[in-house]
Amino acid sequence: RWFTESMQAGRPVAVETRHYIQKPSSKLKTALPATSKPTVSQYACQRRTTLDNQNKIFTDAFEVLAESNEFLDSRGQCLAFRRAASVLKSLQFTLRSLDDIEGLPCLGEQIKSVIEEIFEFRTCSKVEEILRDEKYQTLKLFTSVFGVGPKTAEKWYRKGLRTLKAVLAEPDIHLNKMQEAGFLYYEDISKSVSKADAQAVETLIKDTISYYSSDTKLFLTGGFRRGKEHGHDVDFILTTPEIGKEQALLLFLIDKFKNLGILLYSDFQESTFDIQKLPSCKFEAMDHFPKCFLILKLKTGEQTAGVQQNQNDSRDWKAIRVDLVAPPADRYAFAMLGWTGSTQFERDLRRYARKERRMLLDNHALYDKTKHAFLEAQTEEEIFDLLGLEYIEPWQRNA
Ligand code: DCT
Ligand code: MG
C-alpha cells in the first residue's frame, strides 16, 4: 500500500486570498508583505483535508486515472494523479475556472488538461475510455478480492480469465489461504463496512480483552478514526502497559474469537521489531509490530447495517475485515500516527520529514539524521511538534 516516492520539486506556492486554507508558517508571515497571497503546501501534512470534498467531480476522475496507472505499474503517473486529487480535496471551494487553479501545487499540464476538459464537458474522455476498458474492469474486479493485488490480477487476466467464477474454475490456479477466504466471504467483505459495524466490532473486542487484563487499551484507527462513515475494514491499535506482552495479547484475542466461534480467518504476523537494531533499520513499508489480519463473524442485530438477506440466506451474521496491531506502549504514538492515514497523508509526512527536516519517520520512530539521534514522543502532537508542523486533527487528515 506504500509507494516509492518520486520527489516533486518546489515549495508551497501562492494562491488567491479567498483560497486561504491554512495559516502560513511564522517564517512566511514575516518574510512576505501583508498583501501577499497565502499558500497551499505541496505536502498533504501541511494541509487540512476534511471529508467535505468540494471537488469530487475532479478527484473521482483523478482516482480512476491513478488506479489505471497503478495497474500499468506506472508509479510516477499514479502518484501524480493521487497528489492532484489530494490537493483538490483540501480546497474549501469548488473549482469554477482555470483561474482557480493558478498557483496550486501538484497540478502539471496533464492534470490541467483533465480539469479543463471536465469544465467544458463535465467528463473526461480518457476516464470514460478507462471505465469502458475490459482490462481495467477485470483488474478492478480481481483486486476487489481480499488477498489479490495488481500482480496476481494481471496474471489471471493474461490467462484469459475475466470473471471470479472463471478464476475459481481454473485448475491451474492455486489460491493462498488469504485468497481462499477472500473468495469464500466475497459477498460480505467486498461491500463497505459501516460506522455502526465498526462500533459493534469495537464493543466486541473491548468485551473480549477485558478477560485478558483491565489495563489493556483498544483504539480505533484508520479511516473510521478520520471520521469516515464507511471503510473496507476496521483498524485497531491495542496496547498493554507491559512491554513484551503485545504478541501474547493478540494470540489471546485470536484464541478467544476462535472459542466464541466468530473467527472466520486469521493471519497472525509475529513481531520483527527490535529496538536494538533501530538505528540501522530501513524505513520500509510494512511495520514490524505484531499484528493480525482477521475476518470476523459479526452478528447483524438492530445496531448494525445488516446484509441484504435474500430468501435463501437466513444468516444473522456478516463477515467483516478487521486489522489489529499491537505496538509496544512506548511506540504507540508513532503507530497511531502511521495507522490513522490517510495513505496520502502518511506518504507526505514521511516525504516532508525527509526533504524538509532531514529526518526519517515511520510507524516505529522518528530519526534525526543531523543529530544522529532518535526523537522520542508519547503523543501524535509531540511528533508534529518535533517535525515543526502544526498539529492536524485525524478528521483533517483525509488527504
Ligand atoms: N498503513 C500503514 N502501513 C501499512 C498500510 C497502511 O501505516 N503497511 C496505514 C495507512 C492507512 C491505515 O494504515 C489503514 O489502512 P487502510 O485500512 O488500508 O486504510 P483506510 O484509510 O482505513 O481505508 P478504509 O477506510 O478503506 O479501510
Ligand atoms: Mg481501514
Side-chain angles (χ1 to χ4, degrees):
R1 276 179 279 186
W2 294 91
F3 290 76
T4 333
E5 287 150 13
S6 65
M7 181 48 197
Q8 176 174 322
R11 299 245 155 201
V13 285
V15 290
E16 274 181 58
T17 311
R18 72 187 177 86
H19 300 169
Y20 181 80
I21 58 156
Q22 68 170 77
K23 283 187 220 153
S25 74
S26 48
K27 223 191 243 165
L28 274 175
K29 244 188 242 169
T30 47
L32 301 173
T35 53
S36 71
K37 296 168 179 176
T39 62
V40 171
S41 171
Q42 63 151 313
Y43 296 107
C45 56
Q46 289 188 303
R47 306 190 292 256
R48 293 174 199 275
T49 313
T50 67
L51 290 166
D52 182 21
N53 179 2
Q54 309 265 340
N55 290 287
K56 200 165 178 321
I57 188 167
F58 304 102
T59 60
D60 281 353
F62 291 146
E63 305 221 337
V64 172
L65 292 161
E67 195 173 32
S68 142
N69 277 286
E70 189 175 6
F71 289 153
L72 294 169
D73 214 12
S74 316
R75 291 179 181 205
Q77 285 278 70
C78 171
L79 204 48
F81 287 118
R82 293 239 153 91
R83 285 211 178 118
S86 178
V87 166
L88 298 193
K89 280 182 197 173
S90 77
L91 301 178
Q92 289 180 333
F93 62 94
T94 306
L95 298 179
R96 297 276 171 232
S97 75
L98 279 183
D99 290 345
D100 284 342
I101 60 171
E102 191 58 40
L104 290 175
C106 312
L107 307 180
E109 284 314 309
Q110 192 187 9
I111 307 276
K112 275 189 189 152
S113 70
V114 174
I115 296 177
E116 204 167 358
E117 201 184 335
I118 295 176
F119 277 140
E120 195 166 348
F121 304 107
R122 305 296 297 163
T123 177
C124 163
S125 53
K126 182 70 194 159
V127 171
E128 296 298 315
E129 190 189 309
I130 292 168
L131 292 174
R132 279 193 308 267
D133 181 52
E134 189 195 32
K135 182 167 180 184
Y136 173 83
Q137 289 173 3
T138 311
L139 296 185
K140 189 128 175 92
L141 174 71
F142 290 169
T143 54
S144 72
V145 179
F146 174 51
V148 180
K151 293 257 148 63
T152 305
E154 173 82 30
K155 208 166 70 192
W156 293 350
Y157 181 83
R158 285 194 187 187
K159 277 182 182 286
L161 305 169
R162 298 292 180 266
T163 63
L164 297 181
K165 220 169 164 185
V167 171
L168 289 174
E170 173 64 50
D172 286 0
I173 289 182
H174 298 287
L175 302 176
N176 62 32
K177 287 262 173 277
M178 196 181 253
Q179 294 161 347
E180 257 174 34
F183 275 101
L184 197 53
Y185 304 109
Y186 183 77
E187 235 197 284
D188 285 359
I189 59 182
S190 62
K191 293 190 191 100
S192 70
V193 181
S194 69
K195 200 186 234 174
D197 291 336
Q199 281 158 353
V201 176
E202 187 171 17
T203 308
L204 171 78
I205 302 177
K206 269 200 177 133
D207 290 348
T208 317
I209 52 171
S210 66
Y211 292 101
Y212 185 77
S213 85
S214 58
D215 47 16
T216 301
K217 289 201 178 100
L218 180 75
F219 303 92
L220 187 64
T221 182
F224 287 109
R225 184 172 183 238
R226 301 197 309 274
K228 280 176 66 176
E229 289 293 330
H230 296 277
H232 89 284
D233 65 359
V234 198
D235 307 287
F236 292 100
I237 292 185
L238 274 161
T239 62
T240 159
E242 282 178 278
I243 301 243
K245 286 278 159 71
E246 302 80 19
Q247 203 149 299
L249 169 62
L250 283 182
L251 291 170
F252 168 87
L253 261 183
I254 294 171
D255 206 46
K256 274 276 178 199
F257 292 150
K258 207 183 281 169
N259 292 339
L260 288 168
I262 56 167
L263 188 71
L264 298 174
Y265 171 82
S266 166
D267 172 14
F268 172 73
Q269 308 218 334
E270 268 188 23
S271 169
T272 49
F273 178 72
D274 183 352
I275 197 112
Q276 303 302 321
K277 291 190 188 148
L278 262 186
S280 64
C281 146
K282 273 198 216 120
F283 282 71
E284 71 257 68
M286 190 50 99
D287 64 52
H288 297 280
F289 303 128
K291 59 177 80 62
C292 53
F293 305 113
L294 308 174
I295 300 178
L296 294 182
K297 201 171 185 175
L298 182 73
K299 284 255 183 245
T300 49
E302 275 174 278
Q303 80 282 21
T304 64
V307 270
Q308 290 283 324
Q309 288 175 0
N310 59 40
Q311 278 148 351
N312 306 324
D313 184 2
S314 54
R315 285 186 300 150
D316 61 346
W317 59 271
K318 69 196 253 190
I320 302 254
R321 275 273 303 110
V322 176
D323 286 351
L324 297 176
V325 56
D330 62 342
R331 303 289 108 203
Y332 164 79
F334 297 100
M336 183 52 110
L337 181 58
W339 276 80
T340 298
S342 68
T343 303
Q344 198 57 36
F345 190 89
E346 300 301 324
R347 212 179 258 151
D348 275 4
L349 258 179
R350 294 173 189 214
R351 190 165 61 100
Y352 175 87
R354 207 172 58 239
K355 299 288 175 186
E356 305 296 328
R357 302 284 171 201
R358 278 186 49 80
M359 290 180 187
L360 297 173
L361 173 72
D362 71 358
N363 288 4
H364 318 97
L366 178 62
Y367 183 73
D368 188 325
K369 293 207 280 185
T370 313
K371 295 182 184 153
H372 303 285
F374 281 96
L375 308 179
E376 291 308 329
Q378 302 308 314
T379 63
E380 288 179 312
E381 283 87 343
E382 285 170 32
I383 304 174
F384 278 87
D385 224 37
L386 290 167
L387 287 167
L389 287 169
E390 274 183 36
Y391 184 64
I392 309 281
E393 298 281 355
W395 54 273
Q396 299 169 323
R397 297 182 205 162
N398 288 291

